[in-house]
Amino acid sequence: MIKKSLKKWYVVSSLAALLGSGIYTYGCADGWWSYSSISNFTPEAFADESYKPLFFAPYDRFYNGGYMDNSSMFNEDIVNEWTAYLQGKLEAAEVKKYLLSSRENGGEIDQLYANLKGKKKTTWNLKDERIQNFVSFLYYAKAIENYSNDSYSYWDYESYVANLMEESQADKIEKVFKNLKSKDTFYTNRMWFQVLKAKFYSTNRESVIAFFNESANKQPKNTLYYRGLGYVAGAYYQAGDFKQSNALYAEVFNGNASLRQIALYNYKPMETSNAKQVAANLSSKEIQAALWAMQGYYTNSIDALKEIMAVDSKSPHANFLLTRWVNQQEAAVLKFREESFQSSKEYFASLKKTIDQPGLAWITQIAKQPEKVDNPALWLLASGYLAIFQGDYTEAETALAKAKKEANGNVLIENQIRLFGLINRVSQIKKMDAKAEEAIVSDMQWIYHDIMPQATWEDPFRYDYALHWVRQYLAAIYAEQGNKVMSEIVFTNLDFYGSVDNTIKMEKFLLTTKKTKFEQLMVDKYEFNLSDIYERRAINLFYQDKIEQAIVEMKKAEPITAEYAYNGESYVKTYKNTELLGNPFNGKIQDCNDCDHMAKQSVKYTKLSFLEKMKEMQDKITKGEEVYNNALLIGNAFYNATYYGNARVFYYNALVNEYGNFISPSERKYLLNMELAKKYYSIAKKAATTNEQRAKMAYLEAKVERNEFYAKQYQNKDYYWGAGWDDPMFKKWKGFHELATLYSDTKYYQEVMNECGYFRTYLEKNEK
């Protein structure tokens, strides 16, 4: 059976951390995805550009998308070649125009061709042999394009071709070629290729085989030759002779770097026995290696790699296939995980047997014979890198040291070696102390100070996953040691800030001047600052009804100037001066946050002034002043500062990290909690002196009761949207019942009836 390796991986957006330490986000800070975010091994360091589309790509058919624009992929070469051939006798722009023109220019080309033997003057010197050749080429090439450009994909021979050239027309073009008197090899070579193209897109596709076999030996082995050979392979493919088509594609793959992706795309993976049979009949060891390289792309890469090494151990085709195998192996180790590991020991134990053990043993043996391979550094790094996941740290270190001697000044390989060295040293850390810090601090500084500032989207060096992994692993070590602060700093887990005590510990550490070099580096790269912490602490205290203490902390949250990561532009983080969008003390009949935000406000509250106003009202309640009104307003404030109200901005904070409609479990205890609103509404209700006031409190308490039901029934679950919303929407809320039965003669009751369709429907369903 053929075992295909092109498996799709589907990304889960939010997964538990690898070591049970928070949520891991793959990719760059702004969410951009890259291979560096899922892999450490950089294939670009070991195989040339022609193999790049064939590198391992877990989510795509080809690396980096690797789209083959078959109708235009050779355009630049064609234009450059003809422009050089014409020696300035035509303007370059004009050459490009006619070569790349679509069918609408056919009339001009037909007229130029008709004038070749006529006397009519044109702006072109039709007496010049090279211009004559160009016109003749255009005439036939554009006629063939009517058919070759009519297929779904130029090189996809399985697709339906809607319009085929009549065989007789293709034969006429062949006759023109055979009757050429010109000894111009450039021109005759291109006309030869047009015959191949015509026959391939004709009603007798197989005729391209005979024509190629009888004429190819007189043609130079250039790109046109191998493109023509691809047509022959395609004809065999269409006829169902996959052994022969694969043999020819192997020749194309080996002979012309620009056609490797096309050859591989059309290669038909075979049973191993058939592949061996085809390979045995190929004309050279290089072509045999090419066939096994393509076979290994689709099937078991390590088995195919062994076949390559058996016929041509120094084949460059082995390089790209080995990078695929390594990337496949690490994918099994580094892929997104939902499991949480309780310790670093358990983590490594889970990885050891994930790697292909026999394959790694063979790779390691080959790596010890560098004289036998084309790229010794690649084999040594493949062996050393994967040895880390086996716990063979000494062997890994030895392999990396040998690879460094084979790097020959290749910066990308040297960077890869240094990165793997860091991973190897971190993997051996059992306790973070001065010795452990000293072992890794210079390499961590190298990544942050040398690599990251110079990195671009096009930079192939894969350091992102490794850096995240190092931080995540060290966070687990710190957590095992009971050092929660450093665990948070090296790899953030925002649950840490749910405790006011933790925020105090973090503040103390950030303010101390006695930090080690490693600690200072991690603090410098920590994404949060003291103002984030003060604001978060103030928010925590607010939801504990410790308003006076919250004010003290919010005052410390001074605005700072920051920079956007994606463009470096500066902006101001306002913290205590952040304005709330609506009046947080309003308690309207309808919950309409957008309406409140758009309403005219005589007073605009900031986070700080909001707290200060609440403290002023609390003091009045304590003194017995206007208790009903002040308790009502404070109740509204606590209501609006939850998910349900118009003052969500109050809890917008980097460490709370709640900006949307789904509230994470760790924050629900505050942001979905109605207890403080209930507390102050109860105080107001007891202080009420009129039925109008009591009616209002009954309605507001119904809103609280409704929100509590939603929180318990739906929003405290991971998935709740759309599940059963219709049935319980009009339950018999106690507050609604009280309003309907006790205060139906109040003005406020009429206002509710006018504004609240929810209440009217409730009455229809429940108060009969």
Side-chain angles (χ1 to χ4, degrees), residues 69-82 99-100 154-155 193 197 223-224 226-227 231 256-260 262:
D69 186 4
N70 303 309
S71 63
S72 62
M73 63 186 300
F74 299 106
N75 282 356
E76 185 176 352
D77 290 340
I78 293 170
V79 171
N80 290 340
E81 289 166 0
W82 275 103
L99 283 172
L100 304 186
Y154 187 89
W155 287 96
F193 178 73
K197 194 173 180 181
T223 298
L224 291 180
Y226 286 103
R227 287 177 67 187
Y231 284 136
N256 191 281
S258 68
L259 296 171
R260 284 196 175 122
I262 291 170

PDB file of all heavy atoms in Angstrom, residues 69-82 99-100 154-155 193 197 223-224 226-227 231 256-260 262:
ATOM      1  N   ASP A  69       1.911  29.256 -11.392  1.00  0.00           N
ATOM      2  CA  ASP A  69       1.179  30.050 -12.376  1.00  0.00           C
ATOM      3  C   ASP A  69       1.639  29.591 -13.755  1.00  0.00           C
ATOM      4  O   ASP A  69       2.488  30.196 -14.395  1.00  0.00           O
ATOM      5  CB  ASP A  69       1.466  31.536 -12.160  1.00  0.00           C
ATOM      6  CG  ASP A  69       0.616  32.416 -13.064  1.00  0.00           C
ATOM      7  OD1 ASP A  69      -0.231  31.853 -13.795  1.00  0.00           O
ATOM      8  OD2 ASP A  69       0.801  33.632 -13.040  1.00  0.00           O
ATOM      9  N   ASN A  70       1.051  28.486 -14.198  1.00  0.00           N
ATOM     10  CA  ASN A  70       1.590  27.801 -15.364  1.00  0.00           C
ATOM     11  C   ASN A  70       1.504  28.605 -16.655  1.00  0.00           C
ATOM     12  O   ASN A  70       2.281  28.388 -17.575  1.00  0.00           O
ATOM     13  CB  ASN A  70       0.840  26.480 -15.543  1.00  0.00           C
ATOM     14  CG  ASN A  70       0.934  25.631 -14.289  1.00  0.00           C
ATOM     15  OD1 ASN A  70       2.010  25.413 -13.772  1.00  0.00           O
ATOM     16  ND2 ASN A  70      -0.205  25.185 -13.789  1.00  0.00           N
ATOM     17  N   SER A  71       0.560  29.509 -16.735  1.00  0.00           N
ATOM     18  CA  SER A  71       0.412  30.275 -17.970  1.00  0.00           C
ATOM     19  C   SER A  71       1.452  31.382 -18.094  1.00  0.00           C
ATOM     20  O   SER A  71       1.639  31.929 -19.172  1.00  0.00           O
ATOM     21  CB  SER A  71      -0.993  30.883 -18.043  1.00  0.00           C
ATOM     22  OG  SER A  71      -1.174  31.801 -16.981  1.00  0.00           O
ATOM     23  N   SER A  72       2.126  31.697 -17.005  1.00  0.00           N
ATOM     24  CA  SER A  72       3.050  32.835 -17.074  1.00  0.00           C
ATOM     25  C   SER A  72       4.417  32.571 -16.441  1.00  0.00           C
ATOM     26  O   SER A  72       5.250  33.456 -16.408  1.00  0.00           O
ATOM     27  CB  SER A  72       2.417  34.051 -16.384  1.00  0.00           C
ATOM     28  OG  SER A  72       2.191  33.787 -15.015  1.00  0.00           O
ATOM     29  N   MET A  73       4.659  31.351 -15.965  1.00  0.00           N
ATOM     30  CA  MET A  73       5.872  31.119 -15.184  1.00  0.00           C
ATOM     31  C   MET A  73       7.160  31.283 -15.996  1.00  0.00           C
ATOM     32  O   MET A  73       8.222  31.526 -15.441  1.00  0.00           O
ATOM     33  CB  MET A  73       5.820  29.732 -14.525  1.00  0.00           C
ATOM     34  CG  MET A  73       5.791  28.569 -15.469  1.00  0.00           C
ATOM     35  SD  MET A  73       5.555  26.988 -14.579  1.00  0.00           S
ATOM     36  CE  MET A  73       6.992  26.966 -13.516  1.00  0.00           C
ATOM     37  N   PHE A  74       7.068  31.134 -17.320  1.00  0.00           N
ATOM     38  CA  PHE A  74       8.265  31.277 -18.152  1.00  0.00           C
ATOM     39  C   PHE A  74       8.303  32.609 -18.897  1.00  0.00           C
ATOM     40  O   PHE A  74       9.195  32.839 -19.715  1.00  0.00           O
ATOM     41  CB  PHE A  74       8.342  30.126 -19.161  1.00  0.00           C
ATOM     42  CG  PHE A  74       8.437  28.776 -18.523  1.00  0.00           C
ATOM     43  CD1 PHE A  74       7.346  27.918 -18.526  1.00  0.00           C
ATOM     44  CD2 PHE A  74       9.603  28.365 -17.895  1.00  0.00           C
ATOM     45  CE1 PHE A  74       7.422  26.671 -17.925  1.00  0.00           C
ATOM     46  CE2 PHE A  74       9.689  27.117 -17.298  1.00  0.00           C
ATOM     47  CZ  PHE A  74       8.597  26.264 -17.300  1.00  0.00           C
ATOM     48  N   ASN A  75       7.332  33.482 -18.636  1.00  0.00           N
ATOM     49  CA  ASN A  75       7.217  34.714 -19.413  1.00  0.00           C
ATOM     50  C   ASN A  75       8.486  35.564 -19.385  1.00  0.00           C
ATOM     51  O   ASN A  75       8.941  36.077 -20.406  1.00  0.00           O
ATOM     52  CB  ASN A  75       6.043  35.545 -18.910  1.00  0.00           C
ATOM     53  CG  ASN A  75       4.706  35.007 -19.418  1.00  0.00           C
ATOM     54  OD1 ASN A  75       4.671  34.066 -20.198  1.00  0.00           O
ATOM     55  ND2 ASN A  75       3.622  35.614 -18.963  1.00  0.00           N
ATOM     56  N   GLU A  76       9.030  35.744 -18.194  1.00  0.00           N
ATOM     57  CA  GLU A  76      10.204  36.619 -18.069  1.00  0.00           C
ATOM     58  C   GLU A  76      11.377  36.077 -18.878  1.00  0.00           C
ATOM     59  O   GLU A  76      12.063  36.825 -19.589  1.00  0.00           O
ATOM     60  CB  GLU A  76      10.588  36.743 -16.598  1.00  0.00           C
ATOM     61  CG  GLU A  76      11.726  37.731 -16.365  1.00  0.00           C
ATOM     62  CD  GLU A  76      12.037  37.925 -14.885  1.00  0.00           C
ATOM     63  OE1 GLU A  76      11.262  37.411 -14.041  1.00  0.00           O
ATOM     64  OE2 GLU A  76      13.051  38.572 -14.569  1.00  0.00           O
ATOM     65  N   ASP A  77      11.594  34.761 -18.801  1.00  0.00           N
ATOM     66  CA  ASP A  77      12.691  34.162 -19.566  1.00  0.00           C
ATOM     67  C   ASP A  77      12.457  34.305 -21.065  1.00  0.00           C
ATOM     68  O   ASP A  77      13.393  34.620 -21.826  1.00  0.00           O
ATOM     69  CB  ASP A  77      12.816  32.675 -19.213  1.00  0.00           C
ATOM     70  CG  ASP A  77      13.326  32.452 -17.805  1.00  0.00           C
ATOM     71  OD1 ASP A  77      13.927  33.389 -17.236  1.00  0.00           O
ATOM     72  OD2 ASP A  77      13.123  31.351 -17.260  1.00  0.00           O
ATOM     73  N   ILE A  78      11.223  34.067 -21.485  1.00  0.00           N
ATOM     74  CA  ILE A  78      10.909  34.154 -22.916  1.00  0.00           C
ATOM     75  C   ILE A  78      11.177  35.566 -23.445  1.00  0.00           C
ATOM     76  O   ILE A  78      11.803  35.749 -24.499  1.00  0.00           O
ATOM     77  CB  ILE A  78       9.436  33.757 -23.166  1.00  0.00           C
ATOM     78  CG1 ILE A  78       9.238  32.268 -22.857  1.00  0.00           C
ATOM     79  CG2 ILE A  78       9.022  34.068 -24.597  1.00  0.00           C
ATOM     80  CD1 ILE A  78       7.788  31.837 -22.838  1.00  0.00           C
ATOM     81  N   VAL A  79      10.703  36.557 -22.714  1.00  0.00           N
ATOM     82  CA  VAL A  79      10.893  37.949 -23.148  1.00  0.00           C
ATOM     83  C   VAL A  79      12.376  38.305 -23.179  1.00  0.00           C
ATOM     84  O   VAL A  79      12.872  38.914 -24.143  1.00  0.00           O
ATOM     85  CB  VAL A  79      10.121  38.906 -22.218  1.00  0.00           C
ATOM     86  CG1 VAL A  79      10.494  40.362 -22.515  1.00  0.00           C
ATOM     87  CG2 VAL A  79       8.616  38.697 -22.368  1.00  0.00           C
ATOM     88  N   ASN A  80      13.106  37.937 -22.134  1.00  0.00           N
ATOM     89  CA  ASN A  80      14.537  38.262 -22.079  1.00  0.00           C
ATOM     90  C   ASN A  80      15.319  37.586 -23.199  1.00  0.00           C
ATOM     91  O   ASN A  80      16.211  38.195 -23.819  1.00  0.00           O
ATOM     92  CB  ASN A  80      15.116  37.841 -20.727  1.00  0.00           C
ATOM     93  CG  ASN A  80      14.620  38.704 -19.589  1.00  0.00           C
ATOM     94  OD1 ASN A  80      14.144  39.817 -19.800  1.00  0.00           O
ATOM     95  ND2 ASN A  80      14.716  38.208 -18.373  1.00  0.00           N
ATOM     96  N   GLU A  81      14.988  36.347 -23.479  1.00  0.00           N
ATOM     97  CA  GLU A  81      15.708  35.616 -24.527  1.00  0.00           C
ATOM     98  C   GLU A  81      15.462  36.226 -25.907  1.00  0.00           C
ATOM     99  O   GLU A  81      16.401  36.420 -26.695  1.00  0.00           O
ATOM    100  CB  GLU A  81      15.278  34.142 -24.516  1.00  0.00           C
ATOM    101  CG  GLU A  81      15.791  33.383 -23.299  1.00  0.00           C
ATOM    102  CD  GLU A  81      15.100  32.040 -23.114  1.00  0.00           C
ATOM    103  OE1 GLU A  81      14.221  31.705 -23.941  1.00  0.00           O
ATOM    104  OE2 GLU A  81      15.437  31.325 -22.147  1.00  0.00           O
ATOM    105  N   TRP A  82      14.211  36.525 -26.213  1.00  0.00           N
ATOM    106  CA  TRP A  82      13.900  37.117 -27.519  1.00  0.00           C
ATOM    107  C   TRP A  82      14.447  38.540 -27.637  1.00  0.00           C
ATOM    108  O   TRP A  82      14.912  38.949 -28.708  1.00  0.00           O
ATOM    109  CB  TRP A  82      12.393  37.110 -27.763  1.00  0.00           C
ATOM    110  CG  TRP A  82      11.900  35.814 -28.348  1.00  0.00           C
ATOM    111  CD1 TRP A  82      11.255  34.819 -27.694  1.00  0.00           C
ATOM    112  CD2 TRP A  82      12.041  35.381 -29.702  1.00  0.00           C
ATOM    113  NE1 TRP A  82      10.966  33.781 -28.552  1.00  0.00           N
ATOM    114  CE2 TRP A  82      11.437  34.107 -29.804  1.00  0.00           C
ATOM    115  CE3 TRP A  82      12.605  35.942 -30.856  1.00  0.00           C
ATOM    116  CZ2 TRP A  82      11.395  33.379 -31.000  1.00  0.00           C
ATOM    117  CZ3 TRP A  82      12.550  35.230 -32.050  1.00  0.00           C
ATOM    118  CH2 TRP A  82      11.963  33.966 -32.113  1.00  0.00           C
ATOM    119  N   LEU A  99       4.895  39.185 -27.422  1.00  0.00           N
ATOM    120  CA  LEU A  99       5.090  37.843 -26.874  1.00  0.00           C
ATOM    121  C   LEU A  99       4.031  37.493 -25.833  1.00  0.00           C
ATOM    122  O   LEU A  99       3.558  36.359 -25.773  1.00  0.00           O
ATOM    123  CB  LEU A  99       6.480  37.727 -26.234  1.00  0.00           C
ATOM    124  CG  LEU A  99       7.648  37.555 -27.196  1.00  0.00           C
ATOM    125  CD1 LEU A  99       8.975  37.666 -26.431  1.00  0.00           C
ATOM    126  CD2 LEU A  99       7.582  36.204 -27.914  1.00  0.00           C
ATOM    127  N   LEU A 100       3.653  38.476 -25.043  1.00  0.00           N
ATOM    128  CA  LEU A 100       2.739  38.198 -23.947  1.00  0.00           C
ATOM    129  C   LEU A 100       1.317  38.630 -24.236  1.00  0.00           C
ATOM    130  O   LEU A 100       0.451  38.552 -23.370  1.00  0.00           O
ATOM    131  CB  LEU A 100       3.226  38.896 -22.666  1.00  0.00           C
ATOM    132  CG  LEU A 100       4.658  38.563 -22.217  1.00  0.00           C
ATOM    133  CD1 LEU A 100       4.942  39.205 -20.863  1.00  0.00           C
ATOM    134  CD2 LEU A 100       4.886  37.059 -22.150  1.00  0.00           C
ATOM    135  N   TYR A 154      -2.143  24.344 -17.198  1.00  0.00           N
ATOM    136  CA  TYR A 154      -1.182  24.059 -18.247  1.00  0.00           C
ATOM    137  C   TYR A 154      -0.478  22.722 -18.037  1.00  0.00           C
ATOM    138  O   TYR A 154      -0.178  21.998 -18.962  1.00  0.00           O
ATOM    139  CB  TYR A 154      -0.175  25.209 -18.255  1.00  0.00           C
ATOM    140  CG  TYR A 154       0.832  25.217 -19.369  1.00  0.00           C
ATOM    141  CD1 TYR A 154       0.557  25.847 -20.573  1.00  0.00           C
ATOM    142  CD2 TYR A 154       2.072  24.627 -19.196  1.00  0.00           C
ATOM    143  CE1 TYR A 154       1.490  25.894 -21.573  1.00  0.00           C
ATOM    144  CE2 TYR A 154       3.020  24.664 -20.206  1.00  0.00           C
ATOM    145  CZ  TYR A 154       2.726  25.296 -21.393  1.00  0.00           C
ATOM    146  OH  TYR A 154       3.665  25.343 -22.388  1.00  0.00           O
ATOM    147  N   TRP A 155      -0.204  22.408 -16.768  1.00  0.00           N
ATOM    148  CA  TRP A 155       0.538  21.184 -16.493  1.00  0.00           C
ATOM    149  C   TRP A 155      -0.311  20.134 -15.781  1.00  0.00           C
ATOM    150  O   TRP A 155       0.203  19.098 -15.366  1.00  0.00           O
ATOM    151  CB  TRP A 155       1.761  21.501 -15.633  1.00  0.00           C
ATOM    152  CG  TRP A 155       2.829  22.194 -16.409  1.00  0.00           C
ATOM    153  CD1 TRP A 155       3.056  23.527 -16.477  1.00  0.00           C
ATOM    154  CD2 TRP A 155       3.804  21.585 -17.257  1.00  0.00           C
ATOM    155  NE1 TRP A 155       4.102  23.804 -17.313  1.00  0.00           N
ATOM    156  CE2 TRP A 155       4.594  22.622 -17.803  1.00  0.00           C
ATOM    157  CE3 TRP A 155       4.091  20.277 -17.630  1.00  0.00           C
ATOM    158  CZ2 TRP A 155       5.642  22.388 -18.671  1.00  0.00           C
ATOM    159  CZ3 TRP A 155       5.144  20.041 -18.493  1.00  0.00           C
ATOM    160  CH2 TRP A 155       5.907  21.091 -19.008  1.00  0.00           C
ATOM    161  N   PHE A 193      10.013  23.467 -30.387  1.00  0.00           N
ATOM    162  CA  PHE A 193       9.189  23.376 -29.177  1.00  0.00           C
ATOM    163  C   PHE A 193       7.724  23.656 -29.496  1.00  0.00           C
ATOM    164  O   PHE A 193       6.826  23.040 -28.914  1.00  0.00           O
ATOM    165  CB  PHE A 193       9.701  24.368 -28.131  1.00  0.00           C
ATOM    166  CG  PHE A 193       8.888  24.375 -26.864  1.00  0.00           C
ATOM    167  CD1 PHE A 193       8.966  23.330 -25.964  1.00  0.00           C
ATOM    168  CD2 PHE A 193       8.010  25.415 -26.578  1.00  0.00           C
ATOM    169  CE1 PHE A 193       8.212  23.315 -24.800  1.00  0.00           C
ATOM    170  CE2 PHE A 193       7.243  25.417 -25.423  1.00  0.00           C
ATOM    171  CZ  PHE A 193       7.346  24.358 -24.525  1.00  0.00           C
ATOM    172  N   LYS A 197       4.414  21.436 -28.584  1.00  0.00           N
ATOM    173  CA  LYS A 197       3.272  22.033 -27.902  1.00  0.00           C
ATOM    174  C   LYS A 197       1.988  21.802 -28.698  1.00  0.00           C
ATOM    175  O   LYS A 197       0.938  21.442 -28.132  1.00  0.00           O
ATOM    176  CB  LYS A 197       3.540  23.529 -27.722  1.00  0.00           C
ATOM    177  CG  LYS A 197       2.634  24.250 -26.745  1.00  0.00           C
ATOM    178  CD  LYS A 197       3.152  25.681 -26.556  1.00  0.00           C
ATOM    179  CE  LYS A 197       2.287  26.463 -25.590  1.00  0.00           C
ATOM    180  NZ  LYS A 197       2.793  27.860 -25.430  1.00  0.00           N
ATOM    181  N   THR A 223      16.021  24.567 -21.241  1.00  0.00           N
ATOM    182  CA  THR A 223      14.705  24.507 -20.593  1.00  0.00           C
ATOM    183  C   THR A 223      13.627  24.032 -21.562  1.00  0.00           C
ATOM    184  O   THR A 223      12.735  23.253 -21.185  1.00  0.00           O
ATOM    185  CB  THR A 223      14.326  25.888 -20.028  1.00  0.00           C
ATOM    186  OG1 THR A 223      15.286  26.258 -19.032  1.00  0.00           O
ATOM    187  CG2 THR A 223      12.942  25.856 -19.379  1.00  0.00           C
ATOM    188  N   LEU A 224      13.706  24.454 -22.839  1.00  0.00           N
ATOM    189  CA  LEU A 224      12.709  24.019 -23.815  1.00  0.00           C
ATOM    190  C   LEU A 224      12.769  22.515 -24.017  1.00  0.00           C
ATOM    191  O   LEU A 224      11.729  21.858 -24.195  1.00  0.00           O
ATOM    192  CB  LEU A 224      12.927  24.741 -25.147  1.00  0.00           C
ATOM    193  CG  LEU A 224      12.621  26.246 -25.160  1.00  0.00           C
ATOM    194  CD1 LEU A 224      12.873  26.821 -26.543  1.00  0.00           C
ATOM    195  CD2 LEU A 224      11.178  26.502 -24.743  1.00  0.00           C
ATOM    196  N   TYR A 226      13.579  20.240 -21.806  1.00  0.00           N
ATOM    197  CA  TYR A 226      12.947  19.553 -20.676  1.00  0.00           C
ATOM    198  C   TYR A 226      11.451  19.868 -20.575  1.00  0.00           C
ATOM    199  O   TYR A 226      10.667  19.030 -20.123  1.00  0.00           O
ATOM    200  CB  TYR A 226      13.681  19.899 -19.382  1.00  0.00           C
ATOM    201  CG  TYR A 226      15.022  19.198 -19.296  1.00  0.00           C
ATOM    202  CD1 TYR A 226      16.208  19.895 -19.540  1.00  0.00           C
ATOM    203  CD2 TYR A 226      15.087  17.844 -19.020  1.00  0.00           C
ATOM    204  CE1 TYR A 226      17.435  19.243 -19.488  1.00  0.00           C
ATOM    205  CE2 TYR A 226      16.304  17.183 -18.961  1.00  0.00           C
ATOM    206  CZ  TYR A 226      17.481  17.889 -19.206  1.00  0.00           C
ATOM    207  OH  TYR A 226      18.689  17.231 -19.162  1.00  0.00           O
ATOM    208  N   ARG A 227      11.065  21.039 -21.024  1.00  0.00           N
ATOM    209  CA  ARG A 227       9.620  21.294 -21.108  1.00  0.00           C
ATOM    210  C   ARG A 227       8.987  20.362 -22.125  1.00  0.00           C
ATOM    211  O   ARG A 227       7.895  19.819 -21.910  1.00  0.00           O
ATOM    212  CB  ARG A 227       9.363  22.752 -21.494  1.00  0.00           C
ATOM    213  CG  ARG A 227       9.635  23.754 -20.385  1.00  0.00           C
ATOM    214  CD  ARG A 227       9.415  25.189 -20.867  1.00  0.00           C
ATOM    215  NE  ARG A 227       8.009  25.454 -21.155  1.00  0.00           N
ATOM    216  CZ  ARG A 227       7.558  26.576 -21.709  1.00  0.00           C
ATOM    217  NH1 ARG A 227       8.425  27.540 -22.044  1.00  0.00           N
ATOM    218  NH2 ARG A 227       6.273  26.747 -21.920  1.00  0.00           N
ATOM    219  N   TYR A 231       6.092  17.324 -21.914  1.00  0.00           N
ATOM    220  CA  TYR A 231       4.928  17.030 -22.757  1.00  0.00           C
ATOM    221  C   TYR A 231       4.863  15.533 -23.077  1.00  0.00           C
ATOM    222  O   TYR A 231       3.784  14.924 -23.062  1.00  0.00           O
ATOM    223  CB  TYR A 231       5.007  17.819 -24.062  1.00  0.00           C
ATOM    224  CG  TYR A 231       4.660  19.284 -23.930  1.00  0.00           C
ATOM    225  CD1 TYR A 231       5.439  20.257 -24.552  1.00  0.00           C
ATOM    226  CD2 TYR A 231       3.548  19.692 -23.212  1.00  0.00           C
ATOM    227  CE1 TYR A 231       5.118  21.605 -24.447  1.00  0.00           C
ATOM    228  CE2 TYR A 231       3.220  21.039 -23.104  1.00  0.00           C
ATOM    229  CZ  TYR A 231       4.014  21.989 -23.723  1.00  0.00           C
ATOM    230  OH  TYR A 231       3.696  23.312 -23.610  1.00  0.00           O
ATOM    231  N   ASN A 256      16.482  19.843 -15.005  1.00  0.00           N
ATOM    232  CA  ASN A 256      16.197  21.273 -15.057  1.00  0.00           C
ATOM    233  C   ASN A 256      15.567  21.731 -13.748  1.00  0.00           C
ATOM    234  O   ASN A 256      14.439  21.356 -13.425  1.00  0.00           O
ATOM    235  CB  ASN A 256      15.262  21.582 -16.231  1.00  0.00           C
ATOM    236  CG  ASN A 256      15.143  23.072 -16.492  1.00  0.00           C
ATOM    237  OD1 ASN A 256      14.422  23.766 -15.793  1.00  0.00           O
ATOM    238  ND2 ASN A 256      15.857  23.561 -17.498  1.00  0.00           N
ATOM    239  N   ALA A 257      16.296  22.550 -13.017  1.00  0.00           N
ATOM    240  CA  ALA A 257      15.856  22.974 -11.682  1.00  0.00           C
ATOM    241  C   ALA A 257      14.545  23.744 -11.723  1.00  0.00           C
ATOM    242  O   ALA A 257      13.715  23.622 -10.816  1.00  0.00           O
ATOM    243  CB  ALA A 257      16.945  23.826 -11.027  1.00  0.00           C
ATOM    244  N   SER A 258      14.325  24.524 -12.773  1.00  0.00           N
ATOM    245  CA  SER A 258      13.121  25.355 -12.829  1.00  0.00           C
ATOM    246  C   SER A 258      11.849  24.533 -13.011  1.00  0.00           C
ATOM    247  O   SER A 258      10.744  25.036 -12.808  1.00  0.00           O
ATOM    248  CB  SER A 258      13.231  26.382 -13.953  1.00  0.00           C
ATOM    249  OG  SER A 258      13.211  25.753 -15.225  1.00  0.00           O
ATOM    250  N   LEU A 259      12.007  23.260 -13.392  1.00  0.00           N
ATOM    251  CA  LEU A 259      10.848  22.412 -13.666  1.00  0.00           C
ATOM    252  C   LEU A 259      10.607  21.367 -12.580  1.00  0.00           C
ATOM    253  O   LEU A 259       9.753  20.492 -12.740  1.00  0.00           O
ATOM    254  CB  LEU A 259      11.033  21.708 -15.015  1.00  0.00           C
ATOM    255  CG  LEU A 259      11.095  22.637 -16.237  1.00  0.00           C
ATOM    256  CD1 LEU A 259      11.489  21.852 -17.478  1.00  0.00           C
ATOM    257  CD2 LEU A 259       9.754  23.315 -16.463  1.00  0.00           C
ATOM    258  N   ARG A 260      11.345  21.450 -11.476  1.00  0.00           N
ATOM    259  CA  ARG A 260      11.221  20.414 -10.441  1.00  0.00           C
ATOM    260  C   ARG A 260       9.825  20.354  -9.846  1.00  0.00           C
ATOM    261  O   ARG A 260       9.269  19.276  -9.630  1.00  0.00           O
ATOM    262  CB  ARG A 260      12.263  20.655  -9.345  1.00  0.00           C
ATOM    263  CG  ARG A 260      13.645  20.244  -9.785  1.00  0.00           C
ATOM    264  CD  ARG A 260      14.636  20.097  -8.664  1.00  0.00           C
ATOM    265  NE  ARG A 260      15.863  19.589  -9.234  1.00  0.00           N
ATOM    266  CZ  ARG A 260      17.057  20.177  -9.159  1.00  0.00           C
ATOM    267  NH1 ARG A 260      17.175  21.320  -8.502  1.00  0.00           N
ATOM    268  NH2 ARG A 260      18.111  19.634  -9.718  1.00  0.00           N
ATOM    269  N   ILE A 262       7.011  21.244 -11.179  1.00  0.00           N
ATOM    270  CA  ILE A 262       6.074  20.739 -12.180  1.00  0.00           C
ATOM    271  C   ILE A 262       6.203  19.230 -12.312  1.00  0.00           C
ATOM    272  O   ILE A 262       5.202  18.497 -12.353  1.00  0.00           O
ATOM    273  CB  ILE A 262       6.331  21.422 -13.535  1.00  0.00           C
ATOM    274  CG1 ILE A 262       5.926  22.894 -13.469  1.00  0.00           C
ATOM    275  CG2 ILE A 262       5.582  20.717 -14.656  1.00  0.00           C
ATOM    276  CD1 ILE A 262       6.360  23.696 -14.659  1.00  0.00           C
TER     277      ILE A 262
END
